[in-house]
Amino acid sequence: PLPTPVPIPFSAAVAGSADKVFTFLSDTERSIRPISVRTLELKGSDGSNVLLDISADTYYQPTKDLRISTKEIK
């Protein structure tokens, strides 16, 4: 049987300048892990005080059992 990906939900909150929030989003986008964003909320009145709330899923895929055995050859 093929291993199936297992979703792992996570959430994060980032508060600070717009540059800080943008850096977080850029780092998340470049992640090697697959990420599926469920919700993303931005709040703020100016560029110096921004709040980002994100809820997303990443995935874990169990290893496939290859059933490899070893045998001594004489």
Side-chain angles (χ1 to χ4, degrees):
L2 295 174
T4 57
V6 177
I8 301 171
F10 73 94
S11 60
V14 179
S17 67
D19 289 337
K20 184 177 178 180
V21 171
F22 179 75
T23 300
F24 173 80
L25 289 173
S26 293
D27 291 345
T28 304
E29 182 180 34
R30 288 191 314 253
S31 172
I32 62 170
R33 299 196 61 79
I35 297 174
S36 175
V37 176
R38 288 183 281 142
T39 63
L40 186 134
E41 184 177 353
L42 283 169
K43 295 179 185 177
S45 57
D46 59 16
S48 64
N49 190 18
V50 178
L51 174 65
L52 166 73
D53 281 318
I54 185 170
S55 295
D57 293 318
T58 188
Y59 298 89
Y60 167 77
Q61 185 165 340
T63 59
K64 183 175 181 178
D65 184 10
L66 299 177
R67 298 179 195 245
I68 297 174
S69 61
T70 59
K71 183 177 180 181
E72 185 177 328
I73 301 174
K74 294 184 180 182

